[in-house]
Amino acid sequence: MKKTKSGVRKIFAVVGGLIVGANSPLSGQAGESSLDGDEVFELSPFEVGAQEEQGYRATSSLVGGRTKMSMDDIANSVDVITKDLMEDMAVTDIQDIAVIANNVEPATVGFANTSGESREVWNYNWITIRGFRVGTATRNFMNLETSVDAYNTQSVDFSKGPNAVLFGLGDPGGTYNYSTKTPFFEDDNSVSYKIGSEGGHRFSFDVNRVLVEDKLSVRVNGLKQDWEYYHKPGYTQTDALHVSLRWKPLENSTFTFSHEYNNVDRAYPKMYFGQDRVTPWLAAGGPEVVDFALDVDDPRNPDGIAKGSNVLLAGNDKATPVGDAAMSIKGVTYMVHDLEDVVHDRFLQIDPYVVNGLQVADPHTYANFGYPMNYSASGPNGLSDTRYNVTELNFQQKLAENLYLDLSYGKNDQQKLSANGINSDIWVYPEAGERFGELYTVTSRPMQMRRYWDIEDIRMSLSYDFDFGDRSNYLGSHRIAVMAEKNDKTEIWEQGRLVTTRDPNNEISGSLRASKLRPSFYSFFNPAEGEYTAMDWRQTYWDQDRIEIDGYAFDWLQTDLWANMALRQKLDTKLYVLQSRFWNDRIVTSIGYRKEARDEFRSAGTYGDQTDPTAIIVPEYGYVDNKPAGESSFRYAKIPGEPTDYVSGISRNHGLVFHATDWVSLTYNRSNSIGLPSDSKDIFGNFLGSSQGITDDYGVRFKLLEEKVFLSLNAYETHSDESMQFGDFRTDAWTLEEILVANSDVTGVTSNMLENGNGHTNASKVAEGIELMINGNFANGWSFRISGSQNETLINEAGMDMIAFWDERYANVYSNPAYQGLYINDGSSTFGARVDDAAYEIAKIRALQDNQQFPSSKYALTSIVKYKVQGDGFLEGSSFGTVIDWKSAPIVGYYQDASGNFDITRPAKGEERTNVDFFAAYGRSLTDKVDWRLQLNVRNVFDDNDPYVIEKRSVGTDPDNFTWQNYKWRPVNGLTWELTNSFSF
């Protein structure tokens, strides 16, 4: 059930009051627009106004030196997504924006995504820049852990490569910052309402009112949306209100205050295809099972087939081997059917769809049982729900001629609920009865995680300009900027999994983490009746109430060490930037120096009394004295008074721009960045070290056709040491350990070696590429932006710990023939099948050494062209445009020889992909004060919705005679449209 949110009436009350106040005596008069160049005060060097944008091109940015610089003079490779571009593309968030940014990809693309799954369930900010994953967005250059939404965003700046002048960030591929909308001294209002082909709506407004002429203005941005997506059943529901106030009490003083309340519920189906467990059953004739696991002396089992290997089918009078019916019998588990009844017994499982000996997840087989490819059986249970309140204060003062002060403060109180525990495989129920032949999906012990942030950031900056040009052109003019910043962040993680805590006979005892207590939840659905997915668990995740059925009880318990902790981090940053101009501004240099030091105070989770539901995982340093009785939340964890860790680092940035002529410039930039350690863990649960990178950028820029067209070409090479994720191997290896523990009577293994670990590892990477950007206006009415990139990321020394673990564990444990038929109690996979999967993943990791990661396209090109009708007439002011996005065929696999090794000289290629979008707008002045605009955006005009292959595997061990088998696919959004109705007044 979708949650209904409060605060909507407040939004309408605020905007209504502001609009009614348009004619109050204190209101400013229209036409006194700072956007038109009549700014009544001088912008400080720490601020970029909306007037710095010219259509799809920004003319200045803060990312080059933390003070305003012309884009012409910034040596870094920077891509600014302007407000006009966001409006024409109808993008709303960072995942949309990443599609149109140059050499940037959204979370659903790239090697790092396990099974092609969207990472935004856990961190909505995940994107890829230059082949490197980036998960942090700064808001007005403060790390406040918020996310981009177009309703209150002025622009988004992508800085490519490490950048020493950006606070607190060390991602080698790049970083991005979004600037929020601020008040200006002109009355201006707009409202828009958008609907889409997939259902839902999005209403937003932007009201700017002058309360005291040239002195006081307020701006209110609001958003109310309930939006649905092509891949179902997914939706985003948002209530958000952003209020900002600008006060200019004196000529050289400006205060800005803002507060945002943002409440987002996001439900994503997993963006990959689950296993087909229906087609094999249909191919076997759709057998109906009357009984199974008969005793060897049962009269219905005259052939004495082993108990775990026989079924009795409808219409037969004797048992047959279970394999003949395309199914297998699994161990005893708690099966919860549609939250209606519970069965504690052995169960049947349909065999997976197999082609050429491989369990392929081919979505094209879904047509065999009437299941659409744009649905996910997991339902709307990839949750990323966020509630935050952000307060920001800014004071700017001109202290003296060319001397400016900037004081900024930011605070964020935030809560996030993430959940992704519902399986996407599609099964059919083969047992006789009312559920026979029904489809279902099943998951073992659903998991949810809650995270809480309390962040405060305070920053002081000074900028001083001095000019020696009157003495000599060789001495030049200069700007020096210094900054000191403190960021204090408290972060709490606490996790819950459903565990069986009571049965009708009260026989639950021992460790509550035991695998035998893991319940499996079945959700049944019937495609013929328009039912395609599992139930919506959102309310259950939020409430965390006990589930009681038929005398059984299931409770949300904290069971995983890695997912429970209390953490405080205090980060101090010192930044020094010198920008210089020589030879009549033909040579522009920038030097940045950043020093950071972080104290960390961590209270990790440790095992307590595993028989006590409130003490399975407890804080390392205990709880605070005033913890409520019976409360086990890590929000009450005692955080140590002394640092548990300390790290520091120095980053540098050196840039040079040479304006050889008025229309040709050459650029060079060398940056290194030392990122602070993250919370990523290796497979054993150890935290990874700092990331660090160094990049050289070489560029040439042209101003053409009387500065109507701007072209830049930039070549780069980045060397980095950072974390990398191999989630598939970690999942396979962790499951192997769980099967060993679940069968300890056979294996003697009583603990999971990887219990506290995760799928991250250290890796060295080298990225080389070229970036092309062409934008501007080449004729009356024509605007365009063409961006292209060539990127090749080579991986070195990745996953050495995983390879070492596998080699030792396989030789001594995993290769044991006696273990190959074992399985965990939920029956999801046999030990032998998991060994094969893990061996393949390890072979892939070995093959990646000194080779390109995949699937990743080497070449990409995005063309955006718009024409605005000129002159008088009915179509005056209308505009039409297209977006063409092309990606080259990626490498999606390598030939695997008889020894299990990959031959990188024999790659498999995927398909080139081209997507075409269309947009058109029509506008009219309804009165002398009211303008109306209607905009249509059509995505994937040619409805090319066939999934594309992201992994192929070789079949056969003869290098001269083998075939390729498609193994994994990724969904594609089909044709959709959005219609936006806007009024400005």
Side-chain angles (χ1 to χ4, degrees):
M1 179 178 65
K2 299 182 183 180
K3 291 177 69 68
T4 302
K5 307 176 194 66
S6 61
V8 179
R9 285 190 294 271
K10 294 180 181 178
I11 293 176
F12 285 96
V14 171
V15 71
L18 287 167
I19 295 175
V20 169
N23 296 317
S24 68
L26 294 179
S27 295
Q29 299 299 312
E32 298 173 359
S33 173
S34 61
L35 301 181
D36 293 332
D38 296 329
E39 185 76 77
V40 296
F41 67 95
E42 178 186 358
L43 288 175
S44 84
F46 301 107
E47 187 173 19
V48 173
Q51 69 271 26
E52 308 293 338
E53 299 179 2
Q54 296 178 355
Y56 294 169
R57 181 177 182 269
T59 60
S60 63
S61 175
L62 300 178
V63 300
R66 291 302 296 273
T67 58
K68 184 172 68 175
M69 291 183 68
S70 167
M71 294 289 287
D72 297 337
D73 296 333
I74 298 176
N76 305 72
S77 178
V78 176
D79 188 9
V80 179
I81 307 300
T82 65
K83 180 175 177 290
D84 283 353
L85 183 56
M86 287 191 286
E87 289 181 350
D88 283 347
M89 299 298 100
V91 297
T92 58
D93 57 38
I94 190 59
Q95 300 302 324
D96 293 338
I97 293 169
V99 174
I100 59 175
N102 192 17
N103 211 0
V104 179
E105 293 181 308
T108 53
V109 178
F111 178 84
N113 299 300
T114 301
S115 301
E117 180 181 339
S118 301
R119 296 183 64 114
E120 64 263 26
V121 166
W122 306 109
N123 182 348
Y124 192 70
N125 290 327
W126 282 116
I127 61 172
T128 300
I129 303 177
R130 287 184 173 177
F132 296 87
R133 64 188 184 96
V134 175
T136 302
T138 56
R139 173 190 176 112
N140 300 319
F141 295 98
M142 287 186 173
N143 188 1
L144 297 177
E145 300 283 356
T146 57
S147 297
V148 179
D149 194 290
Y151 93 97
N152 70 335
T153 298
Q154 180 63 39
S155 64
V156 181
D157 298 60
F158 294 90
S159 177
K160 313 295 181 60
N163 190 336
V165 303
L166 296 180
F167 153 74
L169 300 174
D171 294 309
T175 54
Y176 67 100
N177 173 77
Y178 74 100
S179 301
T180 56
K181 296 176 180 177
T182 56
F184 51 93
F185 291 103
E186 177 193 10
D187 288 344
D188 190 45
N189 314 293
S190 65
V191 296
S192 68
Y193 183 76
K194 181 167 73 172
I195 59 175
S197 58
E198 306 309 301
H201 61 269
R202 178 182 171 96
F203 169 74
S204 62
F205 61 83
D206 185 349
V207 177
N208 192 89
R209 308 301 303 166
V210 178
L211 304 180
V212 179
E213 185 176 357
D214 298 343
K215 294 291 185 182
L216 183 64
S217 63
V218 63
R219 189 170 188 174
V220 182
N221 298 99
L223 173 63
K224 170 68 175 178
Q225 78 168 339
D226 187 348
W227 197 255
E228 299 185 22
Y229 300 99
Y230 180 82
H231 287 282
K232 304 182 184 307
Y235 57 83
T236 295
Q237 297 176 316
T238 310
D239 285 336
L241 183 66
H242 184 213
V243 180
S244 50
L245 187 74
R246 172 163 288 194
W247 178 38
K248 192 176 183 331
L250 301 172
E251 181 180 357
N252 295 321
S253 304
T254 305
F255 291 89
T256 304
F257 163 83
S258 69
H259 181 81
E260 180 184 11
Y261 160 78
N262 199 307
N263 184 344
V264 183
D265 283 351
R266 295 187 178 99
Y268 293 106
K270 294 183 178 181
M271 291 297 289
Y272 70 91
F273 296 105
Q275 288 282 342
D276 172 4
R277 303 271 186 157
V278 183
T279 296
W281 178 76
L282 293 174
E288 180 179 6
V289 178
V290 176
D291 202 353
F292 64 96
L294 306 179
D295 290 333
V296 293
D297 56 358
D298 191 304
R300 297 170 298 173
N301 184 16
D303 296 332
I305 303 172
K307 183 173 183 178
S309 303
N310 67 72
V311 292
L312 182 65
L313 303 180
N316 292 356
D317 57 4
K318 71 173 187 176
T320 58
V322 67
D324 293 350
M327 58 187 77
S328 57
I329 300 172
K330 301 301 181 181
V332 175
T333 192
Y334 296 91
M335 292 167 282
V336 185
H337 299 145
D338 279 340
L339 297 183
E340 295 174 354
D341 59 80
V342 181
V343 177
H344 185 216
D345 204 346
R346 304 180 81 169
F347 65 99
L348 286 169
Q349 179 174 279
I350 303 299
D351 294 339
Y353 179 68
V354 175
V355 181
N356 289 323
L358 298 172
Q359 297 182 16
V360 301
D362 186 351
H364 300 93
T365 65
Y366 291 0
N368 295 333
F369 44 93
Y371 196 87
M373 288 191 292
N374 67 322
Y375 272 78
S376 173
S378 62
N381 294 302
L383 303 187
S384 181
D385 295 353
T386 305
R387 318 278 186 264
Y388 64 74
N389 283 274
V390 175
T391 301
E392 294 173 281
L393 299 172
N394 177 261
F395 170 66
Q396 295 181 7
Q397 176 71 43
K398 184 177 182 180
L399 300 174
E401 191 66 28
N402 298 324
L403 179 61
Y404 293 87
L405 169 70
D406 179 279
L407 298 174
S408 296
Y409 170 81
K411 179 175 175 58
N412 182 22
D413 293 311
Q414 178 170 295
Q415 175 184 0
K416 180 186 288 286
L417 169 69
S418 299
N420 209 22
I422 306 299
N423 196 292
S424 292
D425 293 352
I426 305 175
W427 312 71
V428 64
Y429 198 74
E431 297 182 47
E434 62 179 12
R435 290 194 174 105
F436 169 71
E438 288 190 18
L439 303 187
Y440 68 91
T441 188
V442 62
T443 190
S444 175
R445 56 171 191 162
M447 187 190 88
Q448 55 84 24
M449 178 182 286
R450 295 171 188 246
R451 287 171 288 172
Y452 305 86
W453 287 268
D454 183 357
I455 304 173
E456 285 191 286
D457 192 293
I458 186 168
R459 179 178 69 217
M460 182 186 73
S461 305
L462 283 169
S463 172
Y464 180 65
D465 294 355
F466 50 98
D467 189 352
F468 297 135
D470 55 348
R471 302 180 185 179
S472 170
N473 282 334
Y474 296 104
L475 297 178
S477 60
H478 311 270
R479 171 180 290 172
I480 185 169
V482 296
M483 184 200 75
E485 187 160 15
K486 292 182 179 292
N487 185 280
D488 191 337
K489 177 175 72 172
T490 299
E491 183 174 353
I492 307 296
W493 290 17
E494 55 184 31
Q495 157 269 358
R497 287 190 186 272
L498 278 174
V499 176
T500 308
T501 55
R502 189 187 71 202
D503 65 18
N505 300 316
N506 294 314
E507 294 179 349
I508 303 298
S509 61
S511 171
L512 291 169
R513 298 185 65 255
S515 61
K516 66 180 181 180
L517 299 181
R518 299 175 182 175
S520 293
F521 287 83
Y522 288 58
S523 285
F524 291 86
F525 48 85
N526 185 355
E529 298 180 2
E531 301 171 352
Y532 303 106
T533 68
M535 60 173 282
D536 190 338
W537 281 73
R538 169 171 270 109
Q539 202 63 49
T540 305
Y541 284 132
W542 273 105
D543 294 342
Q544 289 190 294
D545 292 336
R546 164 178 279 193
I547 297 175
E548 296 183 284
I549 305 170
D550 296 341
Y552 294 88
F554 308 94
D555 286 295
W556 293 97
L557 305 182
Q558 293 165 255
T559 59
D560 298 1
L561 283 183
W562 67 270
N564 294 277
M565 71 167 187
L567 173 69
R568 185 181 184 189
Q569 293 176 334
K570 299 173 70 174
L571 178 62
D572 289 343
T573 300
K574 303 291 189 300
L575 172 66
Y576 310 90
V577 180
L578 175 64
Q579 301 166 7
S580 302
R581 299 171 180 274
F582 304 96
W583 195 16
N584 295 323
D585 295 345
R586 287 198 177 276
I587 296 177
V588 182
T589 64
S590 58
I591 300 173
Y593 175 93
R594 184 183 80 206
K595 182 177 181 180
E596 292 177 316
R598 186 179 76 182
D599 287 314
E600 182 172 281
F601 309 79
R602 182 186 296 269
S603 179
T606 60
Y607 287 126
D609 183 354
Q610 296 188 35
T611 65
D612 182 351
T614 65
I616 299 173
I617 306 294
V618 295
E620 182 179 4
Y621 296 93
Y623 291 98
V624 295
D625 295 337
N626 60 348
K627 178 183 76 70
E631 179 62 69
S632 61
S633 171
F634 270 59
R635 284 175 289 174
Y636 299 100
K638 184 181 295 182
I639 296 178
E642 296 296 323
T644 55
D645 192 18
Y646 171 83
V647 292
S648 62
I650 295 175
S651 302
R652 297 175 178 85
N653 198 85
H654 301 86
L656 170 67
V657 178
F658 173 47
H659 299 299
T661 70
D662 292 340
W663 60 279
V664 178
S665 301
L666 303 176
T667 65
Y668 171 73
N669 190 76
R670 183 178 179 86
S671 303
N672 84 291
S673 187
I674 300 177
L676 300 173
S678 69
D679 292 315
S680 298
K681 292 183 178 180
D682 65 15
I683 57 173
F684 303 109
N686 303 312
F687 289 102
L688 300 178
S690 303
S691 64
Q692 51 187 315
I694 185 167
T695 292
D696 289 288
D697 283 75
Y698 307 84
V700 58
R701 299 170 184 170
F702 301 91
K703 296 180 182 179
L704 306 173
L705 301 180
E706 298 180 346
E707 298 192 14
K708 291 181 179 179
V709 175
F710 299 84
L711 184 151
S712 65
L713 191 64
N714 187 74
Y716 61 87
E717 181 175 324
T718 298
H719 295 258
S720 78
D721 293 311
E722 61 164 14
S723 66
M724 187 172 180
Q725 187 178 29
F726 293 108
D728 285 339
F729 172 74
R730 186 266 175 185
T731 299
D732 292 333
W734 185 89
T735 303
L736 288 172
E737 293 292 312
E738 285 290 283
I739 295 175
L740 292 174
V741 173
N743 296 273
S744 58
D745 56 331
V746 176
T747 65
V749 177
T750 58
S751 62
N752 185 337
M753 291 183 64
L754 309 181
E755 172 63 32
N756 305 321
N758 213 312
H760 297 273
T761 184
N762 288 313
S764 296
K765 293 183 180 181
V766 177
E768 298 178 347
I770 299 173
E771 293 167 337
L772 170 70
M773 176 67 73
I774 310 173
N775 58 16
N777 305 277
F778 57 80
N780 289 338
W782 288 94
S783 301
F784 64 94
R785 171 190 158 101
I786 300 173
S787 59
S789 63
Q790 173 206 330
N791 184 79
E792 188 172 23
T793 303
L794 304 179
I795 302 172
N796 303 298
E797 298 182 2
M800 294 294 104
D801 54 342
M802 295 179 174
I803 292 173
F805 167 81
W806 173 260
D807 289 345
E808 186 278 330
R809 200 67 168 159
Y810 180 82
N812 297 316
V813 180
Y814 294 163
S815 59
N816 191 327
Y819 298 166
Q820 304 310 300
L822 300 177
Y823 50 83
I824 205 166
N825 71 306
D826 64 2
S828 57
S829 183
T830 64
F831 191 84
R834 283 290 185 175
V835 168
D836 291 342
D837 290 342
Y840 184 87
E841 294 303 323
I842 277 293
K844 190 161 63 175
I845 295 173
R846 293 187 203 271
L848 287 173
Q849 311 306 317
D850 300 315
N851 197 25
Q852 182 179 356
Q853 66 183 37
F854 69 90
S856 182
S857 296
K858 186 174 182 179
Y859 301 97
L861 182 68
T862 301
S863 170
I864 304 172
V865 179
K866 181 178 76 170
Y867 175 69
K868 187 172 183 180
V869 177
Q870 304 296 295
D872 298 330
F874 179 74
L875 293 179
E876 176 190 359
S878 300
S879 58
F880 308 88
T882 61
V883 182
I884 301 175
D885 184 67
W886 172 82
K887 299 285 192 300
S888 65
I891 294 174
V892 295
Y894 296 104
Y895 164 73
Q896 190 175 26
D897 64 24
S899 300
N901 298 316
F902 284 109
D903 182 353
I904 63 173
T905 66
R906 301 173 185 269
K909 284 292 191 79
E911 299 177 356
E912 291 185 6
R913 292 184 293 119
T914 301
N915 183 76
V916 179
D917 297 344
F918 170 79
F919 61 97
Y922 177 75
R924 271 286 175 266
S925 293
L926 302 182
T927 71
D928 59 346
K929 294 184 178 180
V930 180
D931 293 328
W932 166 68
R933 186 171 187 260
L934 186 67
Q935 178 172 314
L936 173 67
N937 290 80
V938 182
R939 307 188 192 281
N940 194 352
V941 171
F942 299 109
D943 198 21
D944 182 10
N945 61 356
D946 194 38
Y948 62 96
V949 176
I950 61 170
E951 185 173 342
K952 294 184 179 185
R953 296 194 178 185
S954 59
V955 177
T957 56
D958 183 348
D960 297 319
N961 185 25
F962 68 93
T963 60
W964 289 109
Q965 174 62 51
N966 294 338
Y967 186 72
K968 285 183 182 179
W969 287 256
R970 189 161 292 166
V972 174
N973 289 327
L975 186 150
T976 61
W977 57 261
E978 300 165 12
L979 189 65
T980 306
N981 209 12
S982 303
F983 296 88
S984 57
F985 48 94

